[in-house]
Amino acid sequence: MKLFATYNRVNLVTTVIVILITGVVYYQAISLILTNQLNKDLEVEEQEILDFVKLNHRLPQVFDSKDQQIEFRKEQNLPVKRSFINTYYYNKKEQENEPGRGLISSVVVNGNRYKVLIAESTVETEDLIKIIFIITIGIILLLIAILFFINRFILNRLWQPFYVTLSRISSFNIMDQKETQRPETNIDEFNQLNEAVEKMWARVKKEYQELKKFTENAAHELLTPIAVINSKLDTLIQTDNFSQRQSELLSDLYGTVSRLKRLNKAMLLLVKIENGLIEEEQMISLKEMVTETIASFQELFLDKDLEVGCELENKEIRANNYLIEVLLNNLIGNAIRHNYANGKIKLTLNHDCLMIQNTGKNMALNDKEIFRRFNKSSGSEGSGLGLTIAKQICENYHYQFSYAFYPPFHTFKIHFQPA
């Protein structure tokens, strides 16, 4: 879940909970205040009755009132506990009982004790509470709507520079020399983030350029010694007769130099691809090139008794002929090298993709490691750069290069760029 959505959810839930709790407390407080006010009114009426009895030595005359009723009941000199109660008030006009608040008290008149019940209607009080509650709910809903608007639009704008920076980081390409525009913002934290990101990019690009330059220079410097060693070995092999042991040592040395030569050639090719030094492009019939590549590997197919199946449709792409040739050689050669005797290879070409499948070890490869430079299986005679070069060529033309294992086939797929 996104940070912005999480913040909105937490903020909204917290606000609703706090407002609900506050609303309940507020409702109880208003009810208590109004109830206390009714109690005071009842006490005033009680005091007026006591004063009247004290002065006139008789009970006051009771009149029908809209909001108040007084009832006297003679007791047999039993004590009466003074208390406030919730009761009902009989509305003679409406001829129905209404909720009310009452006070039970007592008064002594001419030696006789009377129980006094003073009741007042709470309808108006409850109506007032309802009005206050409705207003409060309206204010709460308005506050929630305002908070939602602020979180949805205003905070979204505040976070916009962060999303721009995140997009810049996602699209960062270490080989891209173009400078992306820095988002304008007045927020210090986002400015600090942008400065840190740009410093990191500058440092990474500098180190990458230095490493690339070193690799290119080293590969160029190795060309001459490798050529000299290879030439001397050719001369040495042709000069005299050698013993079997000497011949084996020379053969091993010759093979090692050949692998070193291929490795150096692969490193130079990788540097050229990364630097965009191979730019010449033309329209290529991929079907014809795949067919020619398969023909060139025919002896290796026969040597392992591999069954090769092809489903090739016409497909033309605009690319460098040499790079596509290297791409096909690496992938098909990889399918042969890591296959077993009497295995199978399938090549499928259509408008959308090129798929090369081969049998091999009955387990999936680590798709994060196989494209890493100099990664190769134990016992492999390759340089460990074949798939790295293939992936770099695909990235150079914005093709999607992927690996998957569908038993018993290891599948490498190239999705071409949409037209």
Side-chain angles (χ1 to χ4, degrees):
M1 184 179 292
K2 290 185 178 180
L3 175 63
F4 180 69
T6 303
Y7 170 80
N8 279 346
R9 178 173 295 182
V10 172
N11 188 32
L12 190 59
V13 170
T14 303
T15 301
V16 170
I17 292 174
V18 171
I19 288 177
L20 287 176
I21 295 175
T22 306
V24 172
V25 173
Y26 180 68
Y27 177 81
Q28 294 296 332
I30 292 296
S31 299
L32 182 61
I33 291 172
L34 293 176
T35 301
N36 288 336
Q37 184 62 44
L38 284 173
N39 291 345
K40 290 180 180 180
D41 293 340
L42 293 172
E43 287 177 340
V44 170
E45 189 64 31
E46 178 194 27
Q47 189 61 45
E48 289 180 354
I49 294 174
L50 294 176
D51 291 341
F52 182 86
V53 170
K54 184 177 180 181
L55 181 62
N56 298 288
H57 304 287
R58 65 181 178 85
L59 293 175
Q61 187 176 359
V62 178
F63 298 97
D64 290 337
S65 174
K66 179 182 178 182
D67 300 320
Q68 189 182 81
Q69 289 178 348
I70 301 175
E71 179 182 340
F72 297 102
R73 183 181 301 170
K74 190 175 182 179
E75 297 291 332
Q76 299 298 325
N77 293 324
L78 295 175
V80 177
K81 184 179 179 181
R82 184 179 183 274
S83 62
F84 291 97
I85 62 171
N86 291 320
T87 183
Y88 287 97
Y89 174 86
Y90 183 72
N91 190 328
K92 294 182 179 180
K93 182 179 180 180
E94 300 292 338
Q95 294 186 350
E96 63 179 10
N97 287 326
E98 298 176 352
R101 182 72 173 172
L103 171 61
I104 298 175
S105 183
S106 64
V107 63
V108 178
V109 180
N110 298 325
N112 295 316
R113 183 178 296 277
Y114 291 89
K115 179 181 179 181
V116 182
L117 174 60
I118 308 170
E120 287 193 8
S121 174
T122 58
V123 172
E124 293 184 359
T125 302
E126 291 184 352
D127 290 342
L128 180 59
I129 292 175
K130 288 180 180 179
I131 292 173
I132 295 174
F133 184 74
I134 291 173
I135 294 174
T136 304
I137 290 295
I139 294 174
I140 291 173
L141 294 177
L142 178 62
L143 179 59
I144 292 175
I146 292 173
L147 288 174
F148 178 79
F149 175 80
I150 291 174
N151 291 336
R152 182 69 178 178
F153 298 101
I154 298 179
L155 289 181
N156 192 28
R157 289 186 180 181
L158 291 177
W159 279 90
Q160 195 61 36
F162 171 79
Y163 291 118
V164 174
T165 301
L166 186 63
S167 176
R168 293 174 67 204
I169 295 174
S170 300
S171 60
F172 173 71
N173 187 348
I174 198 170
M175 294 178 292
D176 191 359
Q177 300 299 324
K178 296 180 181 179
E179 295 292 336
T180 57
Q181 186 177 0
R182 180 175 174 175
E184 296 293 335
T185 177
N186 296 324
I187 301 175
D188 294 337
E189 287 78 6
F190 290 158
N191 284 326
Q192 292 174 5
L193 175 64
N194 289 327
E195 290 176 3
V197 167
E198 289 175 356
K199 288 180 180 179
M200 179 190 68
W201 285 350
R203 184 169 61 253
V204 169
K205 286 184 177 181
K206 180 181 178 182
E207 292 176 357
Y208 174 76
Q209 291 297 330
E210 291 176 354
L211 179 61
K212 187 170 63 174
K213 186 176 181 180
F214 169 79
T215 304
E216 185 177 2
N217 291 340
H220 276 293
E221 291 298 326
L222 285 172
L223 283 176
T224 302
I226 290 174
V228 171
I229 293 173
N230 198 64
S231 176
K232 296 293 184 181
L233 283 174
D234 288 340
T235 303
L236 182 61
I237 290 174
Q238 297 173 4
T239 55
D240 203 349
N241 294 324
F242 298 97
S243 65
Q244 182 177 356
R245 177 59 179 166
Q246 290 174 329
S247 299
E248 291 176 353
L249 291 174
L250 285 174
S251 178
D252 291 341
L253 185 58
Y254 197 84
T256 302
V257 172
S258 296
R259 287 197 296 272
L260 181 61
K261 185 177 179 181
R262 291 196 300 271
L263 174 62
N264 192 65
K265 183 179 180 181
M267 290 174 62
L268 278 175
L269 176 61
L270 195 57
V271 170
K272 289 180 179 180
I273 296 173
E274 290 176 344
N275 289 333
L277 300 178
I278 304 178
E279 298 180 350
E280 183 181 350
E281 296 180 357
Q282 63 188 57
M283 295 303 298
I284 300 173
S285 173
L286 199 55
K287 179 180 179 181
E288 292 181 4
M289 184 166 286
V290 171
T291 303
E292 292 174 0
T293 305
I294 292 173
S296 67
F297 282 105
Q298 197 63 39
E299 292 182 1
L300 294 179
F301 293 146
L302 295 175
D303 185 54
K304 279 193 171 183
D305 292 327
L306 297 177
E307 179 184 335
V308 182
C310 298
E311 295 181 9
L312 307 177
E313 298 179 6
N314 291 323
K315 172 65 180 178
E316 289 192 348
I317 59 173
R318 185 171 186 82
N320 180 271
N321 190 81
Y322 174 66
L323 291 183
I324 300 302
E325 183 180 342
V326 170
L327 174 64
L328 295 176
N329 283 333
N330 284 355
L331 293 180
I332 297 176
N334 188 70
I336 298 172
R337 187 179 303 111
H338 298 285
N339 216 322
Y340 50 74
N342 300 314
K344 296 181 179 180
I345 294 179
K346 292 183 179 180
L347 291 98
T348 305
L349 173 65
N350 53 44
H351 180 75
D352 297 322
C353 70
L354 169 65
M355 186 165 59
I356 299 175
Q357 299 175 285
N358 66 275
T359 53
K361 291 184 178 180
N362 193 28
M363 59 181 296
L365 304 176
N366 188 333
D367 56 356
K368 294 181 180 179
E369 292 291 326
I370 58 176
F371 300 116
R372 188 168 54 85
R373 297 186 183 194
F374 303 110
N375 177 74
K376 59 181 181 178
S377 60
S378 58
S380 174
E381 296 182 357
S383 63
L385 291 174
L387 290 178
T388 304
I389 292 175
K391 186 174 180 62
Q392 189 62 54
I393 292 173
C394 290
E395 290 180 354
N396 190 58
Y397 292 113
H398 305 289
Y399 301 155
Q400 294 180 8
F401 186 40
S402 61
Y403 163 79
F405 179 60
Y406 306 107
F409 290 102
H410 296 269
T411 303
F412 290 90
K413 186 180 293 185
I414 301 174
H415 284 275
F416 304 113
Q417 182 183 15

